[in-house]
Amino acid sequence: MAGVSLKCGDCGALLRSVEEAQEHAELTTHTNFSESTEAVLNLVCTTCGKPCRSKTGLLSVKPVNASHFLGFRPNIISYVSLINLIMKSSTLILASWSQLVIEMVVPEVDKKLLEELEAMGFPVARATRALHYSGNASIEAAINWVVEHENDSDIDQIPLVPVNTKVEAPKPSLTPEELKAKQQELRYISHFLYSRISSIFFIFISLFLQERIRVGKELLEAKRIEEENERKRIVALRKAEKEEEKRAREKIRQKLEEDKAERRRKLGLPPEDSSSVKHSSPVVEEKKSSLPIRPATKAEQMRECLRALKQNHKDDDAKVKRAFQTLLTFAGNVVKNPDEEKFRKIRLSNQSFQERVGALRGGIEFLELCGFEKIEGGEFLFLARDKVDIAVLNSAGAELDSAIRNPFFGVL
């Protein structure tokens, strides 16, 4: 009967034409092809509809891509399903390999010698092991083997040997064709597992990158909100400064008017007619500038810190003035002796420091604006030599001097 197909002698796959045989050879590196009278079957996979030419040809067809076989797309796949699929595939491989394991049986020994050893009081397992490893030579050889190996941990265990103990020509449990088909099946199952694991890896990478992008966006949004809040705080701070200056000017004006009235009274002059007094021109509201708001300088932050310190302790002017003078002393000592560590290190638990500065709200914050940092668990305030900024310390001194000399500083 004339051949109707080409058969691969290595895996048994049936192929329709020479072109298919060449493609199969490139895929599997098989080269043993012959004509066959077997018809090529038209098998179809019930899961994905993939056609196949023979039952063994299922193993010779190039595996489909991971997304087609598993039927998923990124970000939709169930990881539990993937893990279950890998576990099932691994179980299939173990089951296939278990069929290739050589069967082990109890070795055959001389029954007469075995009975004699049992009559002498040796257990069956020990007697069988001794006869097997002594070569069933004699009773004396078996007893000598027992004496030499009586301390072995497995002396009383039945020995097991392969079904065929001939080393030169072992008899396989499978025929050569079945063994080749089983090996081919295991190769493609391994390829299948590799492709599945690769798919999972790329999905995890994709999810990781998406998470990085999301976190980056959140950080940018948080930074934008922080900058917006800082801008609003600076605007409110400048508004408060303008209002404070306006109130201070009004108090000065009232004081001048009172002094003027007092002088007229002492000179015996009549009080000044209020209708003739030129009223101060109304304050024109400043137009809002469209220019970007300038960020607060270090000096402005120091001024606000001193103003807050005075407001928090406005009932005790002497204590506030003493705190200002102490802070001025600290800043002046560092400017005059920047290399002396004793002027750049302050113990927070010092009683004198606590009474003058530490116990007042805003004192330590002012020193931190000058460059001091808390060290050793917050026990000391320390200004590192490389962080000494003379310009900042001079600005701090100017603000402290203004706070000490200006009677309207921080007045509401």
Side-chain angles (χ1 to χ4, degrees), residues 298-343:
K298 184 76 76 171
E300 291 173 343
Q301 295 178 8
M302 292 179 179
R303 189 181 309 118
E304 176 60 19
C305 184
L306 295 176
R307 187 180 294 110
L309 189 150
K310 186 170 183 178
Q311 289 299 317
N312 293 331
H313 307 280
K314 57 184 178 181
D315 297 330
D316 194 343
D317 292 336
K319 181 183 292 187
V320 173
K321 188 173 182 179
R322 185 177 59 178
F324 288 168
Q325 291 173 344
T326 304
L327 292 173
L328 183 60
T329 302
F330 285 144
N333 288 338
V334 176
V335 172
K336 295 176 184 177
N337 305 281
D339 296 325
E340 292 290 335
E341 184 177 344
K342 64 181 181 179
F343 297 120

Side-chain angles (χ1 to χ4, degrees), residues 182-244:
K182 191 63 72 172
Q183 291 173 348
Q184 183 72 8
E185 179 182 357
L186 293 176
R187 277 197 296 270
Y188 277 103
I189 292 176
S190 300
H191 183 278
F192 164 78
L193 284 178
Y194 175 79
S195 62
R196 300 297 87 77
I197 294 173
S198 299
S199 301
I200 297 173
F201 173 77
F202 285 117
I203 290 170
F204 283 153
I205 290 295
S206 175
L207 293 177
F208 173 75
L209 293 177
Q210 292 179 9
E211 182 65 15
R212 286 289 301 273
I213 293 172
R214 185 187 66 80
V215 172
K217 290 181 178 179
E218 290 182 354
L219 290 176
L220 289 176
E221 181 64 17
K223 184 177 180 181
R224 186 191 65 79
I225 294 174
E226 182 179 359
E227 292 176 350
E228 180 68 17
N229 293 336
E230 181 67 15
R231 187 186 66 81
K232 292 179 179 179
R233 188 190 69 81
I234 293 172
V235 170
L237 177 63
R238 291 182 178 174
K239 184 177 180 181
E241 289 178 354
K242 291 178 180 178
E243 292 177 354
E244 181 180 350

Side-chain angles (χ1 to χ4, degrees), residues 112-213:
K112 292 183 179 180
L113 296 178
L114 180 63
E115 292 176 356
E116 292 181 10
L117 288 174
E118 290 180 2
M120 295 172 67
F122 290 99
V124 177
R126 184 175 299 191
T128 304
R129 182 176 289 273
L131 289 173
H132 172 68
Y133 287 108
S134 63
N136 292 311
S138 63
I139 294 292
E140 292 77 10
I143 294 175
N144 291 335
W145 187 93
V146 171
V147 172
E148 293 175 358
H149 298 81
E150 61 181 351
N151 294 325
D152 293 354
S153 59
D154 58 349
I155 186 67
D156 291 322
Q157 295 180 6
I158 294 292
L160 298 176
V161 298
V163 176
N164 188 353
T165 58
K166 293 182 180 181
V167 177
E168 62 276 6
K171 182 178 179 182
S173 59
L174 300 175
T175 62
E177 292 77 10
E178 293 174 341
L179 184 60
K180 288 181 180 180
K182 191 63 72 172
Q183 291 173 348
Q184 183 72 8
E185 179 182 357
L186 293 176
R187 277 197 296 270
Y188 277 103
I189 292 176
S190 300
H191 183 278
F192 164 78
L193 284 178
Y194 175 79
S195 62
R196 300 297 87 77
I197 294 173
S198 299
S199 301
I200 297 173
F201 173 77
F202 285 117
I203 290 170
F204 283 153
I205 290 295
S206 175
L207 293 177
F208 173 75
L209 293 177
Q210 292 179 9
E211 182 65 15
R212 286 289 301 273
I213 293 172

Side-chain angles (χ1 to χ4, degrees), residues 7 9 18 58 91 105 108 131 133 139 149 182 197 254 308 358:
K7 184 176 183 180
V18 177
L58 286 169
T91 304
V105 296
E108 296 182 0
L131 289 173
Y133 287 108
I139 294 292
H149 298 81
K182 191 63 72 172
I197 294 173
Q254 292 178 1

